[in-house]
């Protein structure tokens, strides 16, 4: 069964993201029940047609599925784990941020109480919810995902990742690693160019072109990682390391923080010392996956 636009939904947790989720569900035509400790956060939603449940238990009973978006997993346990809370048969979709281990533990906790459970992550800011730009990741039993795909689709672009409940959280943090790495690299370049009077707005289009070009390398580099073979088809790591040294020198000369390029070069140097200098850049995956003692 794939639920339609008239499916009743409950949203527990009305921070900025929870309010956005409930608002998108209302906009899509879903009868929407909400609950939050601070009831005033529901005022605008109630004015738009939502029902404010007096208790969490009442909220759970009101929807065919319940979306949870609270501070952390402990908050979810505190709200839903009381002895008088009836979870048997409830469909829970937890969009609270956390780790993959927390997601798997929560799935076990929910299933012990007879609930169906999907764990998810939201790759978007609140204003994007309800648009195609909002990526809604989730993982858990495929049958539960398929049953509620249409409802989740009201929130954004839905991506089902697999049966492992921890996958959504892992994809979430992997996405954050990409985001911060790209932004920090851009800030490094911006700081360098500002020393010559070039403003950030002028550099940004050039940086976008570089970022897009590098993104285009990823599928080929992924093939090398998955095969465990890193032939230097474009550039050897030892050549890249010399360019890293140039970046560090330039940064220090013009008075720009060089911590980030020094960190990158330190990883490359370790890999080269281990005999990988003649291989291509993705061989550095070994520096990210090996255990560290320090």
């Amino acid at each position: 069964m794939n639920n339609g636009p008239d499916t009743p939904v409950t949203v527990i947790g009305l921070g900025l993201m929870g309010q956005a989720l409930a608002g998108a569900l209302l906009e899509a035509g879903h009868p929407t029940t909400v609950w939050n400790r601070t009831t005033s956060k529901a005022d605008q939603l109630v004015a738009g047609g939502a029902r404010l449940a007096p208790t969490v238990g009442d909220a759970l009973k009101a929807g065919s599925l319940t979306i949870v978006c609270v501070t952390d997993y402990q908050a979810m346990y505190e709200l839903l784990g009381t002895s008088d809370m009836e979870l048997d048969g409830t469909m829970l979709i937890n969009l609270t941020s956390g780790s993959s281990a927390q997601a798997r533990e929560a799935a076990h906790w929910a299933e012990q109480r007879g609930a169906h459970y999907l764990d998810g992550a939201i790759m978007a800011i609140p204003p994007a919810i309800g648009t195609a730009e909002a990526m809604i990741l989730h993982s858990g039993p495929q049958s539960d995902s398929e049953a509620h795909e249409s409802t989740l689709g009201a929130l954004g672009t839905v991506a089902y990742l697999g049966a492992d409940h921890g996958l959504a959280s892992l994809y979430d943090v992997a996405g954050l690693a990409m985001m911060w790495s790209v932004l920090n690299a851009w800030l490094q370049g911006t700081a360098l160019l500002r020393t010559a009077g070039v403003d950030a707005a002028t550099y940004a289009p050039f940086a976008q072109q570089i970022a897009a070009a590098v993104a285009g390398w990823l599928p080929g580099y992924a093939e090398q990682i998955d095969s465990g073979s890193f032939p230097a088809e474009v550039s050897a790591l030892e050549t890249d390391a010399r360019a890293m040294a140039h970046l560090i020198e330039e940064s220090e000369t013009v008075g720009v923080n060089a911590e980030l390029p020094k960190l990158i070069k330190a990883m490359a140097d370790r890999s080269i010392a281990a005999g990988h200098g003649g291989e291509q850049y993705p061989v550095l995956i070994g520096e990210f996956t090996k255990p560290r003692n320090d």
Side-chain angles (χ1 to χ4, degrees):
M1 178 185 70
N2 201 325
N3 289 334
D6 58 346
T7 302
V9 184
T10 288
V11 176
I12 293 177
L14 297 177
L16 292 177
M17 185 60 77
Q19 291 178 48
L21 296 172
L25 291 164
L26 279 170
E27 183 69 22
H30 291 279
T32 303
T33 298
V34 296
W35 183 90
N36 194 71
R37 279 197 177 100
T38 305
T39 58
S40 61
K41 290 188 176 182
D43 289 349
Q44 187 172 350
L45 293 165
V46 171
R51 171 181 174 263
L52 176 62
T55 67
V56 177
D58 182 70
L60 285 171
K61 295 174 184 177
S64 297
L65 72 153
T66 295
I67 294 173
V68 181
C69 186
V70 291
T71 306
D72 52 31
Y73 282 71
Q74 186 57 40
M76 181 186 74
Y77 294 142
E78 291 172 0
L79 289 173
L80 305 184
T82 59
S83 59
D84 61 342
M85 196 65 62
E86 180 59 58
L87 294 181
D88 189 35
T90 300
M91 179 70 238
L92 295 177
I93 300 178
N94 186 17
L95 298 180
T96 299
S97 295
S99 70
S100 59
Q102 288 176 317
R104 295 180 185 117
E105 291 167 3
H108 179 67
W109 174 88
E111 288 162 1
Q112 279 188 316
R113 288 156 178 77
H116 297 270
Y117 184 87
L118 292 170
D119 202 275
I122 303 169
M123 304 297 289
I125 57 176
I129 297 299
T131 74
E133 284 70 37
M135 181 70 73
I136 309 298
L137 311 178
H138 65 289
S139 50
Q142 186 172 1
S143 58
D144 289 334
S145 170
E146 291 175 348
H148 300 286
E149 182 179 7
S150 176
T151 301
L152 286 173
L155 305 177
T157 300
V158 178
Y160 172 69
L161 302 172
D164 177 359
H165 286 92
L167 280 173
S169 290
L170 280 174
Y171 267 81
D172 183 27
V173 294
L176 292 175
M178 285 291 299
M179 179 185 74
W180 286 323
S181 295
V182 171
L183 288 174
N184 285 337
W186 176 70
L187 290 171
Q188 180 85 36
T190 298
L192 283 165
L193 285 165
R194 287 180 71 188
T195 66
V198 179
D199 60 25
T202 300
Y203 172 52
F206 176 83
Q208 281 183 300
Q209 288 183 315
I210 295 295
V214 172
W217 302 346
L218 298 184
Y221 279 9
E223 289 179 8
Q224 289 193 342
I225 291 171
D226 291 341
S227 68
S229 177
F230 307 95
E233 299 167 346
V234 177
S235 176
L237 182 60
E238 57 193 5
T239 302
D240 290 326
R242 288 194 290 271
M244 293 172 193
H246 174 60
L247 171 58
I248 293 167
E249 179 185 0
E250 183 71 39
S251 297
E252 291 179 333
T253 298
V254 299
V256 167
N257 189 306
E259 289 177 85
L260 180 59
K262 282 182 177 179
L263 172 62
I264 297 168
K265 188 173 186 298
M267 298 178 75
D269 287 344
R270 287 196 298 269
S271 188
I272 292 168
H276 301 296
E279 296 178 270
Q280 194 154 263
Y281 196 85
V283 73
L284 278 181
I285 187 68
E287 290 298 312
F288 287 90
T289 56
K290 72 181 183 182
R292 294 292 307 280
N293 296 320
D294 56 350

